[in-house]
Amino acid sequence: MGDVSVKRFTKDFTQQEPISEEAIERAVEIMRSGKLHRYNVGPGEKGEAALLEEEFAAYMGAKYCLSCASCGMAMFLALKSVGVEPGDKILCNAYTLAPVPGAIHNAGAEIVLVEITDDYTIDLVDLEKKAADPDVKWFLISHMRGHLTDMDRLMEICDKHGLTLIEDCAHTMGATWDGKKSGSFGKVGCYSTQTYKHMNSGEGGLLTTDDPDVIARAIIHSGSYMLYERHTSRPEMEVFEKVKKLTPNYSSRMDNLRASMLRFQLRNLDTQCERWNERYRLLEEGFNMIPGITCPKRPEKETYVGSSIQFSLLGQDEASIRKFLALALERGVELKWFGDSEPVGFTSAYSSWQYFGNLPELKETNRILAVMCDMRVPLTFELDDCRLIVEILREVAEETLS
Ligand SMILES: *Cc1c(COP(=O)(O)O)cnc(C)c1O
């Protein structure tokens, strides 16, 4: 304490970059117009939400896009729109964030948890075992913290067992597998525009699909009333005719204000992803040189977006990990730990989803999460900031890890 030679990190791990001036100007224009509701448009006028949907569909190479209130709602709308019925079983990797099981519960379905592997992706062997149950036909994969599994193998398993795949791409917006965009493998891709994801509108969600029936139901479910004609990323009006009276309104729309901010960010998304990756690569290389810290190997075919970084403290016991985290925090480096038995902050373990009743224990997942740490990498961190974090964690690891 008080020793000036002790390196400290002082930046905020939750500080994102500001909204650009041009986006602020456009947002102010919309506020001045008073026309914030997405269907508050004149004849022939598209509105910002509709334009965002056209542009995001084009970016994703998808036929259709729907913007909505959050990624959690996008997943819920996706599940309802593909035809999930109450009581259905849905496969899902056990390492994910609370809105994912929340969407499954909201749809009245049951979750079937699948183990993860040491590189934090779904265990495809366990998946195949659980997919063999003839009662299981849905699969919601969460590309948690941006780690993509072998999508070729995954699609083979889906095809073989007739699984309908929904992708949670909250951390893979802008990522690809073998050149193909994450979110374009499944029937539906779901994305978040909440502040800590790759585009920031405070809250918000996007959903993409090539299926005309699914998008028609999703649009009506999202709360279009009978105004769905005002969507421009949609199939012919006849498709809606069939389902318009059979599809409840779950009121979870995007508004023009948030859409306008996102339209500007979308133009820059690929550049931002590259900036995240510069930081990620520096951190990954530095962390991997610290004895006791291991970042997972990332597959050749994966182009990730390093908006956060995870590593394992292999072989360390709980006491050492707690000391490591506490000392890092004291020196300004805020890490999360997935091994905590109580849910803390944004992090939650499947053992705290007790609303599903007693979920079976997943031994491999427990073992892997017990030593896994996680760090946000906001773009307000410069490369020198990342270098300082590496130095601090090197010293903290020397002091605390055995
Ligand atoms: C943030 C997040 C979500 C939910 O996004 P919201 O827009 O906040 O609902 C879903 N899955 C993962 C993996 C996330 O990190």
Side-chain angles (χ1 to χ4, degrees):
M1 290 289 162
D3 181 349
V4 285
S5 68
V6 173
K7 293 182 198 87
R8 265 172 225 286
F9 190 72
T10 52
K11 282 195 174 175
D12 180 351
F13 282 77
T14 59
Q15 183 60 58
Q16 301 292 24
E17 291 185 300
I19 301 301
S20 70
E21 286 305 317
E22 51 182 1
I24 292 174
E25 270 172 43
R26 181 73 188 125
V28 168
E29 242 176 72
I30 289 165
M31 285 190 278
R32 291 217 162 95
S33 78
K35 293 183 163 187
L36 276 68
H37 194 280
R38 69 166 298 161
Y39 301 123
N40 190 194
V41 288
E45 191 192 339
K46 283 183 177 174
E48 296 287 325
L51 288 165
L52 171 66
E53 288 161 351
E54 287 181 13
E55 290 160 6
F56 193 72
Y59 174 81
M60 283 300 302
K63 273 204 182 126
Y64 311 112
C65 170
L66 169 70
S67 55
C68 62
S70 67
C71 178
M73 281 312 292
M75 290 183 284
F76 167 67
L77 298 173
L79 295 176
K80 295 299 292 184
S81 303
V82 297
V84 169
E85 298 281 349
D88 282 1
K89 293 178 182 172
I90 303 182
L91 294 159
C92 184
N93 40 318
Y95 169 50
T96 184
L97 203 74
V100 179
I104 291 174
H105 189 265
N106 204 8
E110 281 178 42
I111 197 165
V112 180
L113 293 174
V114 182
E115 295 265 26
I116 60 164
T117 64
D118 286 296
D119 55 11
Y120 316 145
T121 58
I122 193 160
D123 180 341
L124 295 172
V125 176
D126 193 42
L127 174 69
E128 177 127 48
K129 227 189 287 165
K130 288 169 178 163
D133 176 348
D135 272 0
V136 174
K137 49 186 182 177
W138 314 110
F139 177 18
L140 173 54
I141 185 156
S142 180
H143 303 300
M144 180 64 168
R145 290 296 193 266
H147 296 272
L148 289 173
T149 186
D150 180 338
M151 292 303 292
D152 303 322
R153 248 325 263 136
L154 182 133
M155 292 316 295
E156 279 171 20
I157 296 171
C158 288
D159 289 344
K160 182 171 161 200
H161 295 281
L163 296 174
T164 298
L165 178 69
I166 313 284
E167 296 181 74
D168 165 21
C169 302
H171 294 141
T172 55
M173 184 194 277
T176 60
W177 176 265
D178 204 12
K180 186 171 159 60
K181 287 221 163 74
S182 178
S184 66
F185 289 83
K187 181 75 122 181
V188 189
C190 303
Y191 316 80
S192 176
T193 64
Q194 183 245 70
T195 293
Y196 306 111
K197 310 300 163 80
H198 302 167
M199 297 201 289
N200 174 12
S201 60
E203 302 285 357
L206 292 156
L207 162 172
T208 54
T209 184
D210 289 341
D211 187 309
D213 295 302
V214 169
I215 196 73
R217 281 195 291 266
I219 288 172
I220 299 178
H221 273 318
S222 79
S224 70
Y225 304 93
M226 295 298 144
L227 305 173
Y228 42 78
E229 188 169 12
R230 296 185 196 174
H231 284 250
T232 52
S233 184
R234 62 157 173 83
E236 295 305 311
M237 294 292 280
E238 296 88 79
V239 183
F240 294 86
E241 271 308 308
K242 293 183 287 184
V243 293
K244 69 179 186 190
K245 294 177 187 163
L246 299 170
T247 310
N249 175 331
Y250 296 130
S251 204
S252 46
R253 291 170 299 274
M254 167 70 67
D255 57 85
N256 284 334
L257 185 59
R258 285 183 292 167
S260 70
M261 287 187 262
L262 293 170
R263 291 184 63 207
F264 284 101
Q265 291 174 51
L266 181 57
R267 290 169 204 167
N268 259 328
L269 178 59
D270 286 339
T271 311
Q272 298 294 76
C273 293
E274 194 35 56
R275 292 176 65 215
W276 264 305
N277 288 348
E278 272 180 87
R279 285 152 182 76
Y280 185 95
R281 283 190 290 265
L282 191 156
L283 290 163
E284 180 191 43
E285 197 188 315
F287 287 175
N288 274 332
M289 280 171 18
I290 302 173
I293 297 187
T294 311
C295 296
K297 252 206 159 122
R298 307 206 66 151
E300 290 263 307
K301 287 186 178 175
E302 178 195 37
T303 306
Y304 53 81
V305 183
S307 54
S308 67
I309 186 163
Q310 293 69 43
F311 55 84
S312 295
L313 302 173
L314 297 176
Q316 301 296 320
D317 58 19
E318 177 166 346
S320 320
I321 295 175
R322 285 193 188 276
K323 262 193 260 164
F324 172 83
L325 296 168
L327 193 56
L329 185 61
E330 208 172 279
R331 298 188 50 187
V333 178
E334 207 181 297
L335 301 172
K336 276 181 237 135
W337 177 41
F338 284 100
D340 216 321
S341 51
E342 279 303 304
V344 179
F346 280 105
T347 308
S348 84
Y350 71 86
S351 59
S352 48
W353 309 335
Q354 290 174 8
Y355 44 82
F356 282 118
N358 276 337
L359 292 170
E361 202 183 313
L362 300 182
K363 291 213 164 64
E364 279 301 288
T365 301
N366 291 351
R367 174 183 67 75
I368 293 156
L369 294 182
V371 294
M372 191 200 297
C373 297
D374 173 49
M375 192 183 94
R376 285 184 205 277
V377 187
L379 287 175
T380 49
F381 289 6
E382 301 300 334
L383 294 178
D384 273 343
D385 294 324
C386 297
R387 289 187 186 101
L388 177 57
I389 290 170
V390 171
E391 280 177 47
I392 290 174
L393 287 195
R394 181 182 302 118
E395 291 174 8
V396 168
E398 267 170 26
E399 256 188 73
T400 56
L401 301 182
S402 44

